[in-house]
Structures are given as structure tokens and as C-alpha cells.
Amino acid sequence: MRLSDVLNKAPDGAVYQIEGFLGGRPLRWRRHRNIAVGKVFHNFHCQQCGDQRSFQSGTSLACLGLGDRAVSIDATLKCPGCEGRVEVWFVVGSENDIFGQAPHVRLERYTENLRDRAVSIGEITGPFADLVKRANAAYEAELGAGSMVYLRWILESITCEVAEIANVPTVGKKGGRVPFRDLLERVNDQRSIIPQQFSSNGYKLFGESSEVIHGNSTEEEALKKFKPCLQLVLGVVEEVNRDNVFASAIDELGWGVDDIDVIAGDAS
């Protein structure tokens, strides 16, 4: 296996044994060297082409030494259709000397700079896309609490927006805001925005972010919680998007809620 095979698997962080790529010579701290390890390929949705493309690098990659057991690699990837360019950055670590003949390496960090020219495959779009990008950027910068702030912001925002659509009151009888736990439960009863797999623990998701934000978790704990919490928050966003698509389809067909009940009854 060559180093490019590992880079192509990003963000996979598994350990792989690869062919030596530094010629048995150490690459000292902050020293650069061009390496030939095969081309890097990553699939993105090209904004110019309007379709998925396999962006690829050249045959030579820029490598920066980070000590005897790590290197940083920069690569410019080009769309084969319009030749639009994006940048990707990798940090590769090794269990032994990374300049050896057959080092065991793993991808420790992967960052994309798509410059509005491409979108990651499967990346969320819509009104919360920017907040998700900010959350991921904070995570990449190892800002655990900061990354969780954005996740809570998304969850609060989408709940309040759906509450407005579904005419669920966000203000209590005395003029104060409805506690978020109650609002989330009421909104979910009306529109089922929480994925069924964890519908009974919807508020616990909000609580995880609150624990971090209020200083009850360390930065290390916050970073460990980020990825699973992100997936759950994205699950809520997907449920809302799915509901909106369904509602739009009903409107376009001229069906009413009663019609849907009849059709469902006939199909059963």
C-alpha cells in the first residue's frame, strides 16, 4: 500500500502499513520535501459542473516535517471537468519512525478548503449548512466547547422554526419563554422532528451540549462528544427536511390531510 491509498481513505483514521516514502531519510521539523506517492483522489460535488466529480492531485505532493513520527501533506485537487481547484491538508502520524522502509501510519487530521468551488459529498445544505461548517471548523481547531455551541444553536434554531410553522407557542402564559425541554417535546409531538431511534432522548442531546457549554466537561470530553452529537443533530435536520419535502409534495398534488388518511387506509 502506498501513502496515497491512505490519503484517499480520508477521514479514515485506521492504521495501515505502507511503502516508505521518504527514502529512509528523516524529514526534520519544518523542512519541506516533494514526495511521489501516487495521486490523491477525492469525490466532491463540483459547483461549476453541477455534478459529482473525482478531483485529483498531481504526481508530486508537498510534505512538511513535524518530527520523526509525523508529517503534514498539502495537495491541490483539480476537477477533471472544469479544472476548478480545491485544497486538502493531511497530518499523517506513525507508530514508529515515519521515514522507515515500511512505517505503520494513520491519518490524524484531514481538512478541506473547498473555496465555494465544491461541496463535500453528503454535506448538509440549506439554512443550517453554515452553522455545521462553523461547528466542524471549531472542532478541527480543537475548540470543544465552541464546536458544541454551534450544535446547540442548530438544535434550538430548528426547533423554534418548526414551532412557528406548526403554531406551537414559544411564549408561556406569563410572557416568558417556554423551557426548551417542553418546547422540544411539544414540537416533536406535532411534527416528529427527532429521529425515531432516539426520540425518547431528544432533550438529552441538548443536555450534552449544555453540559459542555456551562463548563461541566473538559475540552477533551467535549471533543469526544462532538462527532456523535453532530450526527444526532444532523439527524434532526434531515427529519425536518424530509417532513418539508413531504408537505410540499402534498401541496403540489392538491391532497389534504384527510385525503392522506384515506389513501393510507386503502393501502393497508
Side-chain angles (χ1 to χ4, degrees):
M1 177 180 284
R2 305 184 74 185
L3 178 59
S4 60
D5 296 318
V6 177
L7 303 183
N8 290 338
K9 296 177 183 291
D12 178 12
V15 176
Y16 297 96
Q17 185 174 22
I18 64 170
E19 300 174 6
F21 60 95
L22 291 173
R25 296 180 293 115
L27 182 57
R28 301 303 181 190
W29 175 259
R30 299 184 68 180
R31 294 291 182 88
H32 289 86
R33 187 183 302 169
N34 289 333
I35 56 175
V37 294
K39 291 185 176 182
V40 175
F41 296 87
H42 276 266
N43 292 328
F44 298 109
H45 182 90
C46 178
Q47 299 286 59
Q48 179 66 30
C49 297
D51 201 357
Q52 181 173 323
R53 294 284 187 266
S54 183
F55 285 60
Q56 66 180 34
S57 72
T59 56
S60 180
L61 303 180
C63 185
L64 173 69
L66 300 178
D68 289 342
R69 297 193 174 188
V71 294
S72 169
I73 297 172
D74 298 309
T76 298
L77 308 186
K78 185 170 63 175
C79 172
C82 66
E83 298 195 348
R85 289 171 169 79
V86 300
E87 288 83 35
V88 291
W89 171 60
F90 310 88
V91 173
V92 179
S94 175
E95 296 182 341
N96 45 8
D97 288 336
I98 201 165
F99 56 84
Q101 294 301 314
H104 289 80
V105 302
R106 67 183 179 280
L107 187 63
E108 295 186 343
R109 180 168 296 184
Y110 169 64
T111 303
E112 301 169 345
N113 180 18
L114 304 183
R115 301 190 298 171
D116 296 324
R117 295 179 180 174
V119 177
S120 295
I121 304 301
E123 181 176 316
I124 183 173
T125 58
F128 299 101
D130 184 58
L131 291 178
V132 173
K133 289 180 180 178
R134 294 185 190 185
N136 278 313
Y139 173 77
E140 292 295 337
E142 299 186 352
L143 301 175
S147 64
M148 295 293 275
V149 165
Y150 286 113
L151 295 189
R152 190 172 78 163
W153 188 355
I154 295 170
L155 188 59
E156 285 183 317
S157 298
I158 200 166
T159 301
C160 291
E161 287 190 13
V162 176
E164 183 176 349
I165 294 170
N167 294 318
V168 175
T170 58
V171 178
K173 295 180 179 179
K174 297 183 179 180
R177 293 181 61 185
V178 174
F180 185 75
R181 179 195 296 270
D182 296 337
L183 181 63
L184 183 58
E185 289 178 353
R186 294 174 189 175
V187 168
N188 192 54
D189 287 342
Q190 290 280 338
R191 304 294 287 195
S192 297
I193 67 171
I194 300 174
Q196 188 175 1
Q197 296 93 318
F198 68 104
S199 59
S200 61
N201 293 313
Y203 187 78
K204 189 174 182 180
L205 171 59
F206 179 82
E208 288 285 358
S209 59
S210 297
E211 284 285 315
V212 172
I213 294 166
H214 294 153
N216 296 326
S217 297
T218 64
E219 283 290 282
E220 183 178 359
E221 290 171 335
L223 291 170
K224 288 180 179 179
K225 289 180 178 180
F226 174 77
K227 286 293 186 180
C229 283
L230 172 63
Q231 293 306 312
L232 296 180
V233 168
L234 292 182
V236 173
V237 175
E238 288 174 2
E239 285 294 318
V240 172
N241 286 340
R242 193 175 297 119
D243 181 270
N244 288 340
V245 170
F246 183 54
S248 177
I250 292 172
D251 290 340
E252 289 180 13
L253 291 170
W255 296 350
V257 175
D258 293 338
D259 297 326
I260 293 298
D261 291 337
V262 171
I263 292 169
D266 290 342
S268 60

